[in-house]
Amino acid sequence: MSDHPGTDRTIEIAPSVLPADFAKLGEEVAALEAAGVDRIQWDVMDGRFVPNLTFGPDVIAACRPHASVLFEAHLMVEQPDDLASRYVDAGCGLIIVHAEACVHLHRTLDRIAELGARAAVALNPATPAVALTDVLDLVDLVLVMTVNPGFGGQAYIPSMEPKIAEVRRMVLEGGHDVDIEVDGGIGPNTIEAAAAAGANVLVAGSALYRDPEGLTHAVSQLRQIAESTRR
Ligand code: DX5
């Protein structure tokens, strides 16, 4: 039994597409699936909620036929209500909205479920877990950001680990069937602490693409380290 009760959910490795070669994204998502990833995360950025600008729904729709794993859209955007349906139509089965971008978060999450997708909420580093109190029954996943959103390659923020554990406690005490995801600075030196704190879906971008032994090795190594916290 692990030291952290409730951290027995299946470990999933989710690549961020941000560091991939944008000139050949179809091949890149196929390579990620071949490397053994469990899902693929698209970092959708609007240049307003975060400074960067990334993937429109048409780009994701073009890549959809090249992989069969779940696509999740991490909407780092100011108006998620206006955009969510377009990313569902593009082939994303899970939509992550930021609590900080939603004036009516409960309604936004409800609408995502009405679209037939799985709903999820992300918390920036400054947003406390208590923001989730009245929406845990509406989500399949909570994303605890371990960097400030907008760019890949940033340093992991270890002070987020108590928040990961707090979210896991809230999920367990409420009897919710909810995954906990972390995103930002996840690599061989940080994934163990994040998983031990309670995360079971781990997003990595830079760490996968900078591994000199390639994507398959990187995915397998991260999975092994994360699963070691379950023994
Ligand atoms: C931040 C992005 C990054 C990205 C992963 O907005 O969401 O966290 O997905 O970046 P790495 O793994 O390179 O830190």
Side-chain angles (χ1 to χ4, degrees):
M1 183 66 183
S2 97
D3 296 340
H4 299 264
T7 56
D8 56 353
R9 297 179 74 88
T10 304
I11 292 291
E12 293 196 33
I13 304 299
S16 159
V17 183
L18 219 48
D21 181 347
F22 288 8
K24 54 177 189 175
L25 280 174
E27 293 170 45
E28 294 282 77
V29 297
L32 285 167
E33 183 167 40
V37 301
D38 298 290
R39 60 177 75 185
I40 292 174
Q41 183 181 102
W42 294 88
D43 294 288
V44 176
M45 302 179 186
D46 65 356
R48 299 174 67 88
F49 183 71
V50 293
N52 207 346
L53 197 58
T54 59
F55 311 106
D58 292 349
V59 170
I60 297 173
C63 292
R64 181 65 277 181
H66 296 274
S68 57
V69 293
L70 171 71
F71 280 6
E72 63 179 36
H74 176 189
L75 298 185
M76 290 168 270
V77 302
E78 278 196 347
Q79 303 292 340
D81 287 313
D82 299 344
L83 290 170
S85 63
R86 295 176 60 188
Y87 285 89
V88 175
D89 293 345
C92 296
L94 188 145
I95 304 293
I96 306 168
V97 297
H98 270 262
E100 304 87 1
C102 298
V103 174
H104 301 288
L105 178 58
H106 191 282
R107 178 186 296 147
T108 298
L109 294 168
D110 238 358
R111 282 189 176 154
I112 290 169
E114 286 169 5
L115 292 170
R118 294 154 62 185
V121 57
L123 301 179
N124 280 335
T127 304
V130 69
L132 302 168
T133 305
D134 297 306
V135 296
L136 281 175
D137 56 327
L138 299 177
V139 299
D140 285 86
L141 177 143
V142 170
L143 168 52
V144 177
M145 292 299 293
T146 46
V147 295
N148 286 289
F151 299 93
Q154 301 179 84
Y156 173 79
I157 304 172
S159 62
M160 293 296 106
E161 287 159 20
K163 187 196 301 187
I164 298 167
E166 171 64 7
V167 173
R168 176 51 60 198
R169 184 193 62 75
M170 293 168 68
V171 165
L172 281 176
E173 285 186 357
H176 301 292
D177 181 13
V178 171
D179 286 321
I180 292 190
E181 183 174 77
V182 290
D183 177 1
I186 297 298
N189 300 325
T190 57
I191 194 169
E192 181 174 3
N200 70 293
V201 183
L202 302 116
V203 175
S206 312
L208 296 183
Y209 285 90
R210 69 174 168 233
D211 186 327
E213 296 189 53
L215 286 173
T216 302
H217 175 266
V219 172
S220 172
Q221 180 187 42
L222 290 181
R223 187 188 307 283
Q224 285 173 3
I225 297 170
E227 287 178 343
S228 72
T229 67
R230 295 315 194 245
R231 289 189 278 277

